[in-house]
Amino acid sequence: MPDSNHLFELGALAAYLLGLFYIGLRSMREVRTSVDYTIAGRQLSWIVVLSTTAATMVGGGASVGMVSQVYKIGIAAAVLTCAWHLQLIITGLWIAPRLRGMNLITIGGFFELKFGVFARTLAVVHCILFLTGALTAQISAMGTLTSHVLELPFELSLLIASAITIFYSTAGGIRAVVKTDILQFVILVAGIGTASGILFAKNNGFSGIAEKLSELSLDSLDLTHHYPPIQFISLFVAFLLGETLVPPYATRCFIAKDKEHSRWGIAGAGIFLLLFLPAATLVLGLAARVDPQINAIMASSDSQQVFPTLIRSTFQPIHPLLSGILIAAIVAAVMSSADSCLSCGATLAMEDIFRRHLRPSASDSQLLLVARMTTVVVGLVATFFAFLFHNIASILEFVYNFWAPAMILPFFVGLFWYHPNRTYAVVASMATGTLATILWQFVVHPRIDPVLYPNLSSLTPVLPALALAILAFFLTNLVCGHMRPAGGFLPSGTEEPSA
């Protein structure tokens, strides 16, 4: 029979999950069209966009995954997370208003508008790969956390957590996602902020933590102790570009009520998170590292359990209800990213596959049904993959490696240096970036001797693949830049080319 402390934790988590059920059912009554379900009628103010963007960012990778990484390797992990928030600031200030002005529904629509059908197909494939990987990581994190709280087997906990997320996402679409994100944002800021503040004071600030690390002969404050400089730079670029304009954040650009609300919603989320999350993550991870009780538990546990274990050991002595609320905050962090991926997957299936290829004349009720059915199917597929893959940070790093080389350059060309004649070059760069990532990840990198070539061995695929993609773009543009696009390369947009 659970003790009273555990009952408090279960009660707080149960209350939170029931709240999500209620929001899903309430939002279901507000969804009347496919536009309501997928982009919330484009009616959201900047503060709502800020909340939903920030909550989406603070998922399993940015909370559970990175606290465990700080615990293992130190300050370098916290500094790497700054790249995520910098890309939101850049996206918000200069990219989001342009995307909002196009009245798009999906990223695929942008690529066809600018570069034609072939580019759209490649973009949709990369969106599917990213969403599958990211959703798998978040669901795996939900299973890990729920298992720790409920003290149930991982497999059963994963099914419970994913079922709840799939339910409210299916019922209310993006409207339910945004409402739950606002709730999750409040819980996250209050929970993580309170936890890091108490632990900061408990350890007498950074000077106290540094002193304890020194006593334990740990190099957690050495930025390059774990990562050689070239690997650190490569990872920072991967984190910076790996989530730039991925479907969940692009959707936040689309759902704002106008350009300015899109600009300050996205950029505001980046500014807030940059000032808040790296420092909080650093305090939490290092506080766990200098805690003998946590180290004793982690000696026989998965490092992904660092965050919930730290919360439980720190706050149960204060009051078990506080521990329960903060455990719910951690679960909220993961769900806030998982529901966004589910919503984007449904929108992609409805707009880029069903309406684009299967039934162009589909009624709005048919589109809405397809979106809801896809939410369930995508959730179940990701749940299956989550049974097989459990390392959250590794999964996210894998999908970043594929996204950046193929997708970043076309976005910047399409938004800031557009000309229809550059379509061939863009498609060539996308194909080259994808192929280069595959070759480096699975063929070249495994054959590099880390002893003879330590810097080359530590290099992620992002930098070499992105360099080859840029080279392919300029070479193809040099050869084909005078040719007008035709067939599958013909952009659907009619805007005048810029210089």
Side-chain angles (χ1 to χ4, degrees):
M1 182 176 178
D3 60 26
S4 58
N5 289 343
H6 194 210
L7 288 175
F8 273 110
E9 289 184 0
L10 294 177
L13 184 59
Y16 171 71
L17 296 179
L18 286 174
L20 296 185
F21 265 110
Y22 174 76
I23 290 173
L25 292 172
R26 183 74 178 265
S27 300
M28 190 174 182
R29 293 198 291 264
E30 298 175 4
V31 174
R32 296 180 176 85
T33 67
S34 61
V35 174
D36 288 335
Y37 191 85
T38 55
I39 52 175
R42 303 189 200 274
Q43 298 171 347
L44 304 186
S45 66
W46 72 270
I47 190 65
V48 176
V49 175
L50 184 155
S51 300
T52 183
T53 303
T56 299
M57 170 62 76
V58 190
S63 57
V64 179
M66 280 304 151
V67 170
S68 72
Q69 289 297 100
V70 171
Y71 176 83
K72 289 193 295 184
I73 68 176
I75 191 173
V79 174
L80 284 174
T81 66
C82 294
W84 286 333
H85 317 316
L86 287 173
Q87 68 86 9
L88 283 181
I89 297 172
I90 294 168
T91 298
L93 292 178
W94 292 290
I95 298 175
R98 292 172 182 256
L99 288 177
R100 178 60 186 86
M102 296 178 185
N103 290 323
L104 300 168
I105 296 177
T106 66
I107 288 173
F110 171 84
F111 275 77
E112 183 170 356
L113 177 72
K114 296 290 186 176
F115 308 117
V117 174
F118 290 159
R120 180 176 191 158
T121 301
L122 286 172
V124 169
V125 169
H126 277 277
C127 287
I128 292 172
L129 176 62
F130 179 88
L131 290 171
T132 302
L135 185 57
T136 298
Q138 305 308 330
I139 290 180
S140 178
M142 285 195 297
T144 300
L145 292 170
T146 309
S147 172
H148 191 75
V149 176
L150 300 181
E151 298 181 357
L152 294 173
F154 169 80
E155 294 78 11
L156 179 58
S157 300
L158 189 148
L159 289 175
I160 293 172
S162 62
I164 292 169
T165 307
I166 292 170
F167 169 77
Y168 74 76
S169 299
T170 303
I174 191 67
R175 287 189 178 276
V177 168
V178 168
K179 289 179 180 179
T180 56
D181 278 353
I182 294 172
L183 172 63
Q184 288 156 349
F185 176 70
V186 173
I187 295 175
L188 284 169
V189 172
I192 294 177
T194 301
S196 58
I198 292 176
L199 288 168
F200 186 79
K202 178 182 177 182
N203 288 282
N204 298 316
F206 281 119
S207 61
I209 293 175
E211 184 178 339
K212 292 179 181 179
L213 289 170
S214 178
E215 292 172 359
L216 294 171
S217 300
L218 296 172
D219 295 311
S220 299
L221 295 179
D222 184 349
L223 191 62
T224 59
H225 172 71
H226 186 82
Y227 295 129
I230 187 65
Q231 185 179 10
F232 181 83
I233 294 171
S234 178
L235 283 171
F236 193 89
V237 173
F239 277 51
L240 179 67
L241 301 181
E243 287 206 359
T244 298
L245 294 169
V246 295
Y249 302 132
T251 299
R252 269 62 190 172
C253 300
F254 303 153
I255 63 180
K257 63 171 61 176
D258 59 34
K259 294 181 180 180
E260 288 305 302
H261 283 271
S262 179
R263 182 197 304 275
W264 295 113
I266 304 294
I271 293 169
F272 173 81
L273 290 173
L274 183 63
L275 296 174
F276 169 70
L277 197 58
T281 302
L282 181 64
V283 170
L284 292 169
L286 295 184
R289 196 72 184 92
V290 299
D291 188 322
Q293 182 181 356
I294 299 295
N295 290 325
I297 296 172
M298 288 300 104
S300 58
S301 300
D302 182 359
S303 65
Q304 303 286 346
Q305 298 283 5
V306 168
F307 198 3
T309 301
L310 176 67
I311 295 298
R312 178 173 282 158
S313 67
T314 302
F315 297 105
Q316 272 191 355
I318 299 173
H319 196 286
L321 181 58
L322 181 59
S323 172
I325 292 171
L326 295 177
I327 290 289
I330 302 173
V331 177
V334 186
M335 286 186 168
S336 63
S337 289
D339 58 23
S340 295
C341 292
L342 279 172
S343 175
C344 290
T347 305
L348 183 150
M350 181 197 79
E351 185 69 16
D352 292 327
I353 298 176
F354 184 75
R355 180 150 64 178
R356 183 71 182 76
H357 297 288
L358 300 179
R359 192 167 298 180
S361 60
S363 66
D364 193 75
S365 60
Q366 290 175 322
L367 294 174
L368 184 57
L369 177 62
V370 167
R372 283 200 163 113
M373 291 175 60
T374 304
T375 305
V376 176
V377 172
V378 170
L380 293 176
V381 170
T383 300
F384 171 75
F385 284 129
F387 277 105
L388 306 177
F389 307 104
H390 306 308
N391 192 313
I392 303 164
S394 296
I395 297 170
L396 292 176
E397 185 179 334
F398 179 83
V399 296
Y400 294 162
N401 289 339
F402 277 90
W403 179 266
M407 300 293 284
I408 299 303
L409 180 63
F411 268 118
F412 281 90
V413 171
L415 291 169
F416 301 107
W417 197 43
Y418 180 68
H419 194 291
N421 288 13
R422 297 189 178 110
T423 295
Y424 294 109
V426 164
V427 175
S429 77
M430 294 177 72
T432 301
T434 304
L435 181 60
T437 301
I438 293 171
L439 290 175
W440 185 272
Q441 185 90 22
F442 300 107
V443 179
V444 176
H445 188 264
R447 287 172 169 76
I448 298 175
D449 189 329
V451 177
L452 294 177
Y453 308 102
N455 288 335
L456 196 60
S457 175
S458 64
L459 194 63
T460 67
V462 173
L463 288 179
L466 183 59
L468 289 173
I470 293 172
L471 179 63
F473 172 83
F474 283 107
L475 289 177
T476 307
N477 193 54
L478 186 66
V479 175
C480 305
H482 65 285
M483 299 168 55
R484 299 291 294 180
F489 295 94
L490 183 66
S492 63
T494 56
E495 58 184 59
E496 290 293 324
S498 59

